[in-house]
Amino acid sequence: MRISSVLPVLLSLCFLSGAAMAADTTAKEPTKAQTAQRDKMSSCNKEATDKDLKGDERKAFMSNCLKAKPAESEKKMTAQQQKMADCNKEAGEKALKGDDRKAFMSSCLKGKADTAEKAVTPQQQKMADCNKEAGDKALKGEDRKTFMNTCLKKAA
């Protein structure tokens, strides 16, 4: 007797939860990688159809086509890759080899220019001198700020 009264309630709960789950599924937007792969697949498939390829020939063609790397013009280099290419080119132009090349590449990639190329401007020199003097006097806070202001105006 109990089972027959509980059974309709259980069935209605199952039906309602199934409907709620079905309504919850929404289409998700594909990622850029998925879109790119789909476009590549379509392009390769069209090309294979245009060439009228069948069977193993088609499989081999599709495999090679999908593995193909994008053309150089499609590739975008990151800032680090661009910096590496520029430094490498410059090292090649200077015909550097071995340890000299390693040292140059290291400093170039760190953004450090050659010491001969990196001349200190007069303003930078004034700033360094005043800063050193303020440090020697152990000035801090407002006193340091006032001293630096006066020192930089005096040096000009």
Side-chain angles (χ1 to χ4, degrees):
M1 177 93 160
R2 283 185 168 162
I3 293 176
S4 59
S5 63
V6 174
L7 190 58
V9 173
L10 284 174
L11 286 174
S12 62
L13 285 175
C14 288
F15 175 73
L16 289 174
S17 66
M21 290 181 95
D24 190 32
T25 58
T26 56
K28 293 181 182 176
E29 290 294 318
T31 64
K32 286 183 181 180
Q34 290 170 331
T35 302
Q37 182 65 19
R38 183 180 60 216
D39 292 345
K40 192 171 191 178
M41 185 72 149
S42 296
S43 173
C44 291
N45 195 29
K46 183 182 182 317
E47 197 174 334
T49 302
D50 291 346
K51 291 181 178 185
D52 197 33
L53 299 175
K54 306 273 188 224
D56 289 339
E57 284 181 325
R58 185 181 185 92
K59 285 181 188 176
F61 173 80
M62 289 295 289
S63 177
N64 288 334
C65 183
L66 292 171
K67 289 178 188 174
K69 302 286 185 215
E72 286 298 319
S73 61
E74 294 176 23
K75 287 184 181 178
K76 302 253 180 179
M77 285 201 282
T78 64
Q80 183 63 25
Q81 289 170 329
Q82 184 61 50
K83 193 174 195 181
M84 179 68 121
D86 294 343
C87 291
N88 200 25
K89 182 179 177 187
E90 192 175 339
E93 289 170 355
K94 292 182 177 184
L96 298 174
K97 305 264 187 228
D99 290 338
D100 290 339
R101 185 181 185 93
K102 285 181 188 177
F104 171 79
M105 289 294 289
S106 178
S107 66
C108 182
L109 291 172
K110 289 177 185 173
K112 296 177 183 173
D114 291 339
T115 53
E117 295 174 13
K118 192 175 183 180
V120 178
T121 66
Q123 179 64 26
Q124 290 171 326
Q125 187 60 51
K126 281 191 275 184
M127 184 68 120
D129 293 341
C130 290
N131 199 25
K132 183 180 182 317
E133 194 175 335
D136 292 343
K137 293 181 178 183
L139 297 174
K140 303 220 186 265
E142 280 298 317
D143 292 337
R144 183 181 188 93
K145 188 175 179 181
T146 305
F147 172 80
M148 289 294 289
N149 194 3
T150 308
C151 180
L152 290 171
K153 285 180 182 176
K154 177 176 58 177

